[in-house]
Amino acid sequence: MGLWETLTGRSRVKGPNLDALFGIPSAAITLESAAGFTATGVGSVCFRAAAGAAFAQVQADVVALIKADADAPDVEVTTDDFGFTWLTVHDDPGDLSGLCTDLHAVNTALEAQGFGGGLLCTLVPFHDTSGRRFGLVYLYKQGTFYAFAPQPGPGPQKRDNLLEISVRDQLAGELPMEQDLSRWLAVWGAPGL
C-alpha cells in the first residue's frame, strides 16, 4: 500500500492477472486427487459485447485464432438471457493446458484491442462420477477465482455452498481465491454447467 492509500484509507483493487489461468491445470490435479473432480474439456469467456464493427472484427479474429491450429477445438459464440456473450471452447478433456491457453488468448486479444472493460469472467467446469458439477470462475476485474456449484434437479435454482467452500479451501494454496463471498456471483446457465 502506498502513501496516498494509507492517508486516504483506500486500497487499490488487485486487477487482472491473466497468467493465473495457467494455474488451473495444476489445480485440476489437486481437485482430482483430493475430491475426484475432473475437467469437462469445456471452457468459456463471458463478456459484454460492444456495439460496432471494430468489436465484431476482434471477436471474429479471436475465433479464427483459436480455429487456426490443425487440431483446433470447437468454438461457439452464444448470448445468455442477460445479454452477455459467452465464447465457449470445446476441447479434449485431457488437454487442460491447451484449453487454458485458448481461454488466455481470448481474454488477451479482447484486452489488447481495448475491450478489457467488457470482460467479466472465465469459467472452467469440473465434474465427478456422481454427477456433481462446479465451475471454477476467474473474475477478470478482481484477478481471483471462486467456485460456482449449481445443484441439479427440478425446482428453484440452488447452489451447493458446501462444495463451493470445499473447492476454495482445497485450492487456496494454488490459485488466488476470492475471499469476499459477496463476489461469488451465480452464473446460471453458463456453458458447460
Side-chain angles (χ1 to χ4, degrees):
M1 190 181 280
L3 177 62
W4 179 252
E5 289 83 18
T6 303
L7 292 174
T8 61
R10 298 180 192 162
S11 62
R12 292 184 190 161
V13 176
K14 185 177 181 184
N17 173 15
L18 292 174
D19 289 346
L21 294 172
F22 295 124
I24 294 175
S26 174
I29 294 169
T30 300
L31 290 168
E32 186 170 7
S33 63
F37 282 95
T38 57
T40 64
V42 176
S44 53
V45 176
C46 181
F47 51 92
R48 186 178 304 108
F55 184 81
Q57 184 61 50
V58 169
Q59 184 173 302
D61 290 347
V62 168
V63 171
L65 173 71
I66 294 172
K67 289 185 173 184
D69 188 11
D71 298 325
D74 292 331
V75 180
E76 66 180 315
V77 179
T78 58
T79 303
D80 66 18
D81 295 339
F82 301 103
F84 296 112
T85 302
W86 292 85
L87 192 145
T88 305
V89 179
H90 300 268
D91 211 337
D92 174 15
D95 186 18
L96 190 54
S97 293
L99 177 66
C100 290
T101 300
D102 290 339
L103 297 174
H104 186 277
V106 171
N107 281 287
T108 302
L110 290 171
E111 187 179 64
Q113 294 301 316
F115 298 107
L119 286 166
L120 301 174
C121 68
T122 299
L123 182 130
V124 178
F126 289 80
H127 64 115
D128 68 6
T129 56
S130 70
R132 293 186 310 162
R133 299 176 84 78
F134 74 88
L136 190 56
V137 181
Y138 176 76
L139 289 170
Y140 176 79
K141 289 177 177 52
Q142 301 301 319
T144 56
F145 291 87
Y146 71 92
F148 171 68
Q151 288 185 344
Q157 296 172 326
K158 294 181 182 177
R159 295 170 75 164
D160 185 344
N161 298 115
L162 185 59
L163 176 57
E164 292 174 353
I165 298 297
S166 174
V167 169
R168 179 197 64 188
D169 294 346
Q170 290 169 4
L171 298 181
E174 297 192 43
L175 296 173
M177 300 303 291
E178 180 59 56
Q179 298 303 312
D180 183 352
L181 298 181
S182 70
R183 291 190 178 129
W184 291 32
L185 304 176
V187 285
W188 302 113
L193 286 180

